[in-house]
Amino acid sequence: MKIHIKTYGCQMNERDSEALAGMLIEAGHTMVDVEEEADVLLFNTCSVREQAERKAKGKIGYMKKLKAKNPDLVIGALGCMAQRLGNELLNELPHLDFVLGTGQLHTLVPLIESIREERRQVASIAESADVLTGMGNHYRPSGDPSGFKAQIAITRGCNRFCSYCIVPYVRGREISREQADVVAEARMLVEDGAKEIMLLGQNVAAYGWGGNINPPPAGVSPFAELLEELDRIPELLRIRFTSPYPTYFNDRLIGAIASSRTVCRNIHLPLQSGSDRILKAMNRQYTADGYRQVVHAIRQAIPDVTFSTDVIVGFPGETEDDFRMTRDLMNEVGYDNSFIFKYSPRPGAKSAEIADSVPQEVKEERNAVLLEDLKKRVAASLRTQVGSVQEVLVEGTSPRNPERWSGRTGTNRVIHFLPDSGIRAGTLRRVRITRAGSVSLFGELL
Ligand code: SAH
Ligand code: SF4
Ligand code: F3S
């Protein structure tokens, strides 16, 4: 069958879709890019904010037209929103053939084959650890210019239960894959041409702890051990990871990153808020000072490190004072990038039981203030790079100007440059920075 997958949400979902494509191809199906050509349309959905659900529902609703033209078309909703809503989604969208939750993704192939034979709506949303089978599948189309990058999901689920967050409910309990499986998968990807591997998990630095230890004891970190194993794969050039919960950075992990050949000097360290009162209401297990100490310890060990973060504005009860503390802490850390979200109550998550008290206009305003700060900070931090020599992993031609090429530093900055005859995507090159733009750098190849 010809199958089209559209993915919403985070990198875990992107990775799930890739694994699903791998399974489908192994079973003899083909992936198509165009909806109209497909026999089966799959929507891998997200529930993290209301907007994410609205978008996917709107899109699936619109597919009714295609189904009217082609009654044999099979349409399925997968992933987090499918998990959260289950049968409710089938009632709301009667042309939907099935919903498949996050714990049942490994059953996709037999499910679509049975639905083609026996047309009836199916909801399959039981949580199951068997979902780990299939997580190692990959779909790496040849000729893809980003083929030197690969992703590996090393954990599933989340046990942190931040009060605003739906993820622990839709992704289930935190489980880690075996180190040997992850390393074997990395070796296979590297043999297949991968140079950069992104390790994924909702709480990635808690890898190997079985979901129950926070904070981890000093001197022990299964995640550090995994990074060290991966560091030994000779042709692997870079490792990145996302997202680590701040309290899992003990000295063992920081030391492993600092002494690693491949782990990039850019850490995504979700802050959420700079106010202790709000952090507590969010059930984040650290204070603003605790967070500062983590940043300080990482900077001591890795002086050129850059940070990015996630922040929520307008959490219930957030005052101007709370907001100011977030703003100040963000400027103090000096993030190179931040993802700023307006609080969205999620039915089922704890904070949805209290009133969404910050007015939409205030959320918009706080969001705009933080974005403006970010813009200024990024421009200033890029200017400090002019004149320096940086190593980039070459990515390919620049999206806006095909005569230029671009690459990314380990610190996650993008540099544009004119190519030479030896230029190849997926190789490391040195570049002298000649000019700073507002979001990226310009330089010349050495
Ligand atoms: N596991 C990751 C985050 C997953 S969700 C981590 O903890 O780092 C990505 C981001 O979405 C979160 O960091 C948070 O900033 C934001 N987010 C989650 N739930 C939200 C909600 N209900 N409203 C607004 N933003 C939310
Ligand atoms: Fe959500 Fe918190 Fe888990 Fe991240 S750590 S997925 S924000 S519950
Ligand atoms: Fe969304 Fe699920 Fe990721 S809710 S953010 S797709 S884990």
Side-chain angles (χ1 to χ4, degrees):
M1 281 184 264
K2 291 190 193 135
I3 300 177
H4 174 83
I5 307 186
K6 168 134 181 82
T7 309
Y8 298 87
C10 64
Q11 291 177 77
M12 294 290 284
N13 253 19
E14 296 282 346
R15 173 65 197 110
D16 281 346
S17 290
E18 195 216 317
L20 292 170
M23 284 181 229
L24 289 163
I25 286 177
E26 211 173 271
H29 302 290
T30 8
M31 305 309 297
V32 293
D33 289 335
V34 184
E35 286 158 4
E36 285 77 7
E37 286 174 9
D39 305 308
V40 180
L41 283 175
L42 302 175
F43 296 91
N44 194 3
T45 60
C46 172
S47 258
V48 80
R49 282 166 291 275
E50 198 196 343
Q51 176 70 9
E53 290 199 348
R54 216 181 300 133
K55 232 162 101 183
K57 279 187 193 168
K59 179 75 183 180
I60 299 169
Y62 190 69
M63 293 298 115
K64 213 173 163 172
K65 279 193 179 168
L66 287 186
K67 190 125 177 182
K69 271 192 244 158
N70 171 13
D72 286 338
L73 180 67
V74 173
I75 306 181
L78 325 175
C80 298
M81 179 176 75
Q83 182 72 40
R84 192 176 87 77
L85 297 175
N87 277 313
E88 214 180 304
L89 200 59
L90 292 179
N91 294 335
E92 198 176 327
L93 299 164
H95 62 292
L96 197 56
D97 295 284
F98 68 92
V99 295
L100 189 65
T102 57
Q104 292 293 326
L105 294 179
H106 58 295
T107 65
L108 176 69
V109 172
L111 179 68
I112 54 179
E113 285 165 3
S114 76
I115 282 180
R116 285 286 279 199
E117 278 159 32
E118 187 194 347
R119 301 305 294 245
R120 60 187 172 89
Q121 279 194 315
V122 179
S124 173
I125 56 172
E127 188 175 337
S128 160
D130 291 343
V131 72
L132 288 184
T133 52
M135 272 178 82
N137 274 285
H138 285 269
Y139 170 55
R140 296 172 51 75
S142 62
D144 178 356
S146 60
F148 65 90
K149 290 188 189 181
Q151 301 186 319
I152 302 181
I154 64 169
T155 70
R156 270 203 94 83
C158 183
N159 285 4
R160 297 269 58 86
F161 290 96
C162 304
S163 68
Y164 50 80
C165 187
I166 198 68
V167 170
Y169 304 94
V170 293
R171 288 258 166 183
R173 296 292 55 76
E174 192 175 297
I175 37 179
S176 294
R177 296 175 60 204
E178 294 294 328
Q179 192 197 71
D181 286 351
V182 176
V183 174
E185 190 172 326
R187 285 187 189 283
M188 181 203 80
L189 289 165
V190 168
E191 261 170 45
D192 196 34
K195 300 289 180 193
E196 175 176 305
I197 290 181
M198 172 71 95
L199 303 176
L200 295 173
Q202 292 302 344
N203 187 3
V204 77
Y207 171 78
W209 279 121
N212 296 319
I213 293 180
N214 180 46
V220 196
S221 169
F223 184 54
E225 289 164 26
L226 174 65
L227 293 177
E228 286 164 350
E229 277 304 309
L230 297 174
D231 207 43
R232 293 196 187 103
I233 302 177
E235 298 81 14
L236 180 60
L237 301 178
R238 283 183 171 178
I239 300 173
R240 297 185 189 274
F241 55 86
T242 201
S243 276
Y245 192 85
T247 53
Y248 288 86
F249 281 90
N250 60 12
D251 289 350
R252 174 75 180 85
L253 176 55
I254 295 174
I257 297 171
S259 59
S260 159
R261 172 182 64 89
T262 52
V263 177
C264 288
R265 268 82 175 123
N266 169 256
I267 293 179
H268 184 69
L269 198 63
L271 169 66
Q272 312 302 358
S273 170
S275 153
D276 287 348
R277 205 176 61 81
I278 298 294
L279 285 170
K280 190 149 189 258
M282 287 177 161
N283 191 31
R284 297 290 286 186
Q285 314 275 315
Y286 52 86
T287 58
D289 267 342
Y291 185 95
R292 278 189 187 92
Q293 278 163 25
V294 174
V295 168
H296 178 74
I298 297 173
R299 280 220 164 106
Q300 286 288 100
I302 313 163
D304 62 341
V305 71
T306 56
F307 290 101
S308 59
T309 200
D310 289 352
V311 161
I312 298 175
V313 292
F315 185 83
E318 185 188 68
T319 61
E320 273 304 317
D321 242 14
D322 295 317
F323 172 66
R324 188 185 41 75
M325 287 188 253
T326 301
R327 186 180 181 194
D328 291 350
L329 186 47
M330 288 180 80
N331 285 323
E332 182 186 325
V333 175
Y335 300 100
D336 257 44
N337 199 6
S338 7
F339 300 90
I340 301 155
F341 303 105
K342 287 165 272 185
Y343 173 71
S344 164
R346 305 312 299 127
K350 203 90 196 130
S351 69
E353 293 165 14
I354 42 176
D356 180 13
S357 62
V358 178
Q360 187 62 20
E361 316 82 79
V362 177
K363 288 181 187 167
E364 303 279 354
E365 200 184 294
R366 291 178 183 171
N367 182 53
V369 168
L370 296 186
L371 284 177
E372 192 52 35
D373 283 356
L374 173 69
K375 219 164 105 186
K376 284 190 198 136
R377 257 196 335 261
V378 169
S381 122
L382 292 177
R383 282 197 297 273
T384 66
Q385 303 297 302
V386 175
S388 68
V389 171
Q390 306 275 338
E391 187 179 61
V392 294
L393 187 59
V394 176
E395 302 215 314
T397 53
S398 300
R400 284 221 218 128
N401 177 352
E403 276 167 30
R404 280 208 197 98
W405 281 55
S406 64
R408 208 173 271 272
T409 64
T411 50
N412 217 16
R413 295 185 175 113
V414 174
I415 308 183
H416 306 278
F417 48 82
L418 289 175
D420 61 12
S421 56
I423 198 80
R424 249 181 335 114
T427 56
L428 290 174
R429 293 293 300 265
R430 280 152 55 84
V431 181
R432 176 175 291 108
I433 312 299
T434 51
R435 183 161 68 83
S438 55
V439 292
S440 55
L441 295 162
F442 296 84
E444 51 198 27
L445 281 177
L446 295 182

